[in-house]
Amino acid sequence: MTNLAAHPGSILRSPSAAKALCTHCRLPVPAGLIEPGAAQQFCCSGCRTAHQIIHECGLDAFYKLRESGDAFNEPTRGTDAAYGEYDDPQFIALYAAPAPAGCRSIDLRLEGVHCAACVWLIEKLPRVLPGVIEARLTMHKATVRIVWDPSRLALSRIARVLDNLGYPSHPSRRTPAQQINTLEDRRLLWRIAVAGAIAGNVMLMAVALYAGMFSGMDAWERTLFRYGNMLLGVLALAWPGRVFLRGAVAAVRTRTPHMDLPIALGLIAGGVAGAVNTIRGSGEIYFDSLTVLIFLLLVGRWLQHRQQRRAADALELLFSLTPRSARRIVGDAIESIAVESLNVGDLIEVRAGENLPADGRIVEGHSELDRSLLTGESAPCAVGPGDAVLAAMVNIAAPLRVRVEASGADTRLGQLVRLVEECTSRRAPIVQFADRIAGVFVIVVIALAIGTWGVWQWIDPAMAIDHAVALLIVACPCALGLATPMALAVGIGRAAKRHILIKGGDTLERLAAPGPAGLLLLDKTGTLTTGIAAMRLWHGDPSLKSAVLAIESQSTHPRARAIVAALQAEGVTTSDETWQVRQLTDGGIRADLQGRRMVIGSIDLMHRFAITIDEVRGAWINDCLDRGLSPVCVAIGDRIEAVIGFGDELREDARAAIRALRRMGWRIGIASGDHARVVQRIAHELEIDPAMAIGRMSPEDKLTMVERERERGPVVMIGDGVNDAAALAAATVGIAVHGGAEASMAAADVYLGEPGLAGIVRIMHAARRTVRAIHRNLYVSLGYNAAAVGLAMLGLLNPLIAAVLMPLSSLSVLGLSMGVRTFGEDGP
């Protein structure tokens, strides 16, 4: 028997190993999972564990039709997570739903789901764990629905077993919107089933009636079948078909032309005519066509809903920025609870490397926080007792104890998420325009149907109802109504998958056509430049470099790391002196050695320590400023002995992005708070008009500039969302780049979740492609409806063919929208 332990830590891959197939499912094994020399290869933990179970149970005959050996590998080990928060009552109330017989059900999103073997293994949970009633895995979503009996089994036990099998789990909350969608889907499927059953029986009776026309049929039998058709037809209208009637009634009550209105008129016209002819005992009864029509319309609506739901799923924003559990301190004990169970006033512990689960204030401990998600500041911030902290910040250095002041939806992050959800409901002007076209189209269709009925009453009264009903059905403006929102939904959804948050469809429309006066304003630091400072210059005594290296090596601050990297690259070695180093909470470092004091930090820090700046040192500092560098002073005692110049680099993609944006028709400008000489230097490198590159701008100055330029044309403001919030909000479109999440989500229309300017170019291309797709969809919809109406008026369509063509028109628009290369290669 071969064991994985025989090949510990091996990462070599032979050429033949690249073609390895999984022993269990026979799918290709990813290169990273291939075990060199092992007789058995597995593509995922599910196959590995399934193979082990089959082997241990003596069921190796399962593999008789495949090549297999005797060996097996050990199953993948889990993460050793306890999942104690899964048993918290508030967690259960939030994520689990009641099930019959006192059971509960929960949806868990699993890691590591790969193939059919995963489905087989996970769905065997009821056999492995008594108390699990059902486990159903949706593979493409990697989500399992667990139904279990809480009186027999704890949810944490189920989660640990899944974890041990190689599938760490995370709660997948079923929101009210998801529950509503599920109920709506079930109701629609029931309507389709009932409509199909009715249509089948009506068609059987219709076949008998048609056969009786040739072979003869007693009058009472003919009457029986005709009345049977009528009863089933009325039932189809009253139950599955009432969804169209209800929509029509709502349209009449609100005086709003709705796409259900012509459908309902067609169904009612056919039903009334069929009932009258049934009672009269002569003429076409229409109910065979009517019931099949209802069935086909419902199937078409189902397909349409599924496609729309698929596009809506792409828009789902998963704000998994806070942990699912927290450590609450109760007396001398620490308990793990669900984040939803936190209350104001609770004392929690946050360890190094963890995200804060709630807003609060530090009670005990000193550490550094990564606040880039919420403030856009890339440098870690030193914090201590009394300092306020926010959920989703990352604790970097040491444990902290925090008193909770807000949790859940009341946190700053929760408020931002709610703001984003509200903004995404904005309707673009082009959507409103399409809705107005659809409303007018409904009125025109109804008028044409009445005219068609009147004309065919004169030509062939027996066919008048057929042709009028066919026109009402085939000219349903569903495709017209879907043309715009579907293209926008696909564009926004695909942007979300690429970590680009677009708050509304109107944003894409405004970005698509800048016009000759369109201005694109960029902040410098963190937008055009990397925002990561590096040591560029050293003024002063070079013999201090060894001591500075020794002191800065003990700090985790980004500038300290930059100093260490630069000095080591120069070949500087650390001095043998042992300095007592203390990181200052307001920035900088103080080090002491045998009565000597060294302070490294900003000019303000020098003033705080009463360190004098003479003429020579002032010249060093001015030289740094003239070069666009930030000065960091090195002082011994009360005298500055050296000045280090820091500067950040231009982003690698900045030049190409600026050229691409200029080709699209945008004028480019820079609005920065940095020194004017620094801004002019950046403008020169990027070939930007010096008159449009302005430095030393306060947030108020940026706002004034944006408002002034908006009088000339559209203005797109791009910034990091910290000092640019007011300008972002005032611009035609505000785009916040990676690193300024709090201000950008609140003020900007677009948030880039990736650094660099390439994402901005992609957004501009995506906006143009989306608007072009909208126009194409509108042309296709109007062209289709014009052709279909003409055919129906000429009598070349019957209601059944119209019922087939109607959903096909909507599906064609959906297909065109889904097929747009929204984020394809660069292009116009």
Side-chain angles (χ1 to χ4, degrees):
M1 184 178 295
T2 303
N3 195 287
L4 282 177
H7 312 282
S10 176
I11 59 172
L12 298 177
R13 297 290 180 264
S14 66
S16 61
K19 299 180 180 179
L21 297 179
C22 178
T23 300
H24 181 74
C25 71
R26 308 305 293 166
L27 290 177
V29 179
L33 297 179
I34 294 176
E35 295 291 338
Q40 308 280 339
Q41 300 292 343
F42 300 97
C43 66
C44 65
S45 60
C47 289
R48 188 188 305 276
T49 308
H51 180 270
Q52 179 190 4
I53 294 172
I54 290 172
H55 177 80
E56 291 180 343
C57 294
L59 300 176
D60 292 313
F62 176 79
Y63 299 105
K64 281 185 177 180
L65 297 178
R66 305 178 188 175
E67 295 180 1
S68 62
D70 296 331
F72 70 93
N73 294 307
E74 293 179 358
T76 299
R77 294 183 179 179
T79 62
D80 297 327
Y83 296 98
E85 67 276 8
Y86 278 32
D87 297 331
D88 186 279
Q90 293 194 29
F91 181 96
I92 297 294
L94 183 65
Y95 292 105
C103 295
R104 307 282 294 192
S105 70
I106 188 171
D107 290 345
L108 297 176
R109 193 176 299 275
L110 304 181
E111 300 177 18
V113 173
H114 177 71
C115 66
C118 301
V119 180
W120 177 86
L121 178 63
I122 292 168
E123 293 191 349
K124 296 300 180 185
L125 273 180
R127 296 188 181 184
V128 177
L129 287 173
V132 176
I133 310 302
E134 182 183 40
R136 286 287 177 265
L137 178 66
T138 304
M139 185 172 168
H140 71 278
K141 293 184 178 180
T143 301
V144 61
R145 175 160 297 180
I146 303 290
V147 179
W148 86 104
D149 184 353
S151 64
R152 301 174 58 194
L153 185 67
L155 181 59
S156 60
R157 169 64 177 154
I158 302 173
R160 286 195 298 271
V161 169
L162 287 170
D163 196 311
N164 291 336
L165 292 175
Y167 305 103
S169 65
H170 309 278
S172 177
R173 182 178 179 184
R174 279 172 279 172
T175 63
Q178 291 172 323
Q179 295 174 357
I180 291 173
N181 289 338
T182 300
L183 292 175
E184 181 182 359
D185 287 346
R186 288 178 180 174
R187 284 195 293 265
L188 188 51
L189 285 173
W190 270 110
R191 291 191 188 103
I192 292 174
V194 173
I198 292 175
N201 284 280
V202 170
M203 288 302 295
L204 288 174
M205 288 187 283
V207 169
L209 285 172
Y210 293 139
M213 293 173 60
F214 299 100
S215 60
M217 177 179 286
D218 291 340
W220 71 271
E221 290 177 337
R222 185 179 301 108
T223 302
L224 177 63
F225 281 128
R226 290 170 68 90
Y227 272 91
N229 272 353
M230 184 182 73
L231 292 175
L232 288 176
V234 171
L235 179 61
L237 276 172
W239 186 358
R242 69 180 177 183
V243 62
F244 305 109
L245 303 180
R246 188 185 300 117
V249 170
V252 173
R253 291 180 60 185
T254 58
R255 299 180 181 178
T256 304
H258 189 272
M259 58 188 65
D260 280 344
L261 191 56
I263 294 177
L265 287 175
L267 295 176
I268 292 173
V272 170
V276 170
N277 289 342
T278 299
I279 295 172
R280 289 173 50 197
S282 63
E284 178 62 48
I285 58 175
Y286 300 112
F287 290 113
D288 49 351
S289 301
L290 189 70
T291 53
V292 174
L293 180 63
I294 292 173
F295 173 72
L296 292 175
L297 289 172
L298 289 173
V299 170
R301 178 157 295 191
W302 164 257
L303 294 174
Q304 174 184 314
H305 279 192
R306 293 300 297 172
Q307 288 283 58
Q308 288 179 281
R309 193 71 48 76
R310 191 172 301 170
D313 289 342
L315 284 170
E316 184 179 302
L317 301 178
L318 302 177
F319 291 93
S320 55
L321 303 176
T322 55
R324 64 171 184 256
S325 62
R327 295 183 180 87
R328 182 167 59 190
I329 301 173
V330 181
D332 296 331
I334 298 178
E335 60 181 12
S336 178
I337 63 169
V339 171
E340 294 77 17
S341 300
L342 285 176
N343 298 310
V344 174
D346 284 348
L347 183 64
I348 59 174
E349 181 183 71
V350 183
R351 298 175 183 174
E354 296 181 345
N355 294 61
L356 272 75
D359 293 355
R361 197 167 295 275
I362 297 175
V363 175
E364 181 182 334
H366 292 81
S367 184
E368 289 187 335
L369 296 181
D370 179 356
R371 307 184 300 175
S372 60
L373 177 70
L374 295 175
T375 67
E377 300 176 25
S378 59
C381 174
V383 293
D387 290 336
V389 294
L390 301 176
M393 289 182 175
V394 182
N395 182 19
I396 296 176
L400 294 174
R401 294 198 169 189
V402 178
R403 184 74 64 183
V404 175
E405 294 181 349
S407 64
D410 296 328
T411 62
R412 185 76 62 87
L413 179 65
Q415 295 169 4
L416 293 173
V417 172
R418 185 166 57 250
L419 175 64
V420 171
E421 291 173 345
E422 293 172 356
C423 290
T424 53
S425 62
R426 294 203 311 247
R427 292 171 63 80
I430 197 168
V431 175
Q432 299 170 5
F433 172 72
D435 288 346
R436 288 195 297 270
I437 292 178
V440 172
F441 188 81
V442 167
I443 297 174
V444 172
V445 165
I446 293 173
L448 289 176
I450 295 173
T452 299
W453 177 83
V455 170
W456 278 94
Q457 280 287 356
W458 177 68
I459 299 174
D460 184 358
M463 301 300 297
I465 290 293
D466 273 1
H467 297 330
V469 169
L471 189 151
L472 289 169
I473 297 301
V474 79
C476 170
C478 297
L480 193 62
L482 284 173
T484 299
M486 273 303 303
L488 291 174
V490 170
I492 296 174
R494 289 178 177 169
K497 288 184 177 180
R498 288 162 176 79
H499 308 290
I500 300 173
L501 172 64
I502 301 175
K503 293 185 180 178
D506 53 339
T507 299
L508 289 175
E509 186 179 357
R510 294 196 297 267
L511 289 174
L519 174 63
L520 194 145
L521 276 177
L522 300 109
D523 179 45
K524 183 188 80 69
T525 305
T527 304
L528 289 171
T529 61
T530 61
I532 302 175
M535 186 177 126
R536 308 289 182 193
L537 187 66
W538 177 286
H539 281 302
D541 186 359
S543 65
L544 291 175
K545 290 184 177 181
S546 293
V548 170
L549 178 59
I551 293 169
E552 295 288 1
S553 296
Q554 302 182 50
S555 172
T556 59
H557 194 280
R559 282 193 175 178
R561 291 196 293 267
I563 292 174
V564 170
L567 294 179
Q568 288 178 341
E570 293 179 11
V572 176
T573 57
T574 306
S575 66
D576 296 331
E577 299 172 317
T578 304
W579 292 84
Q580 300 296 322
V581 177
R582 181 160 60 94
Q583 185 85 40
L584 303 175
T585 57
D586 54 351
I589 283 182
R590 170 176 176 167
D592 297 281
L593 175 65
Q594 298 176 355
R596 297 168 59 201
R597 183 193 69 184
M598 181 181 290
V599 177
I600 306 174
S602 64
I603 299 173
D604 292 338
L605 188 64
M606 300 298 110
H607 292 318
R608 190 165 74 82
F609 279 89
I611 297 172
T612 58
I613 303 176
D614 59 23
E615 184 176 349
V616 174
R617 277 68 182 176
W620 292 349
I621 293 172
N622 287 330
D623 181 53
C624 290
L625 294 173
D626 289 341
R627 299 190 188 198
L629 304 176
S630 301
V632 172
C633 303
V634 180
I636 297 180
D638 60 355
R639 179 185 175 87
I640 295 176
E641 300 294 342
V643 175
I644 305 171
F646 277 86
D648 56 349
E649 296 181 345
L650 197 67
R651 291 192 181 275
E652 294 181 358
D653 60 354
R655 292 182 179 86
I658 293 299
R659 286 195 296 267
L661 292 168
R662 192 179 285 119
R663 285 197 301 268
M664 294 180 195
W666 292 98
R667 295 184 297 125
I668 310 297
I670 302 177
S672 175
D674 284 352
H675 196 281
R677 293 184 183 179
V678 179
V679 177
Q680 289 295 321
R681 178 174 60 84
I682 294 293
H684 176 72
E685 292 186 29
L686 295 175
E687 301 177 354
I688 295 175
D689 183 0
M692 294 303 298
I694 306 173
R696 291 192 179 278
M697 297 190 74
S698 66
E700 292 78 12
D701 294 334
K702 293 181 181 181
L703 175 61
T704 301
M705 181 178 182
V706 168
E707 291 176 340
R708 182 179 67 248
E709 292 292 337
R710 279 200 67 173
E711 296 178 359
R712 299 178 52 190
V715 177
V716 174
M717 177 68 194
I718 303 172
D720 63 5
V722 180
N723 298 321
D724 307 312
L728 288 168
T732 308
V733 175
I735 301 178
V737 298
H738 175 74
E742 179 175 21
S744 64
M745 282 187 181
D749 301 288
V750 179
Y751 172 66
L752 288 179
E754 58 181 19
L757 297 178
I760 296 171
V761 178
R762 286 197 291 271
I763 291 173
M764 298 298 185
H765 286 312
R768 293 187 171 195
R769 292 186 180 110
T770 300
V771 171
R772 282 205 305 269
I774 291 171
H775 292 160
R776 182 169 61 248
N777 287 349
L778 289 174
Y779 295 147
V780 169
S781 301
L782 289 172
Y784 159 82
N785 279 288
V789 166
L791 292 174
M793 293 179 70
L794 292 173
L796 300 178
L797 290 179
N798 62 45
L800 286 182
I801 296 177
V804 173
L805 292 179
M806 190 277 289
L808 289 180
S809 67
S810 299
L811 293 177
S812 66
V813 169
L814 294 173
L816 288 173
S817 298
M818 299 299 289
V820 175
R821 293 171 58 252
T822 313
F823 286 89
E825 297 298 324
D826 289 350

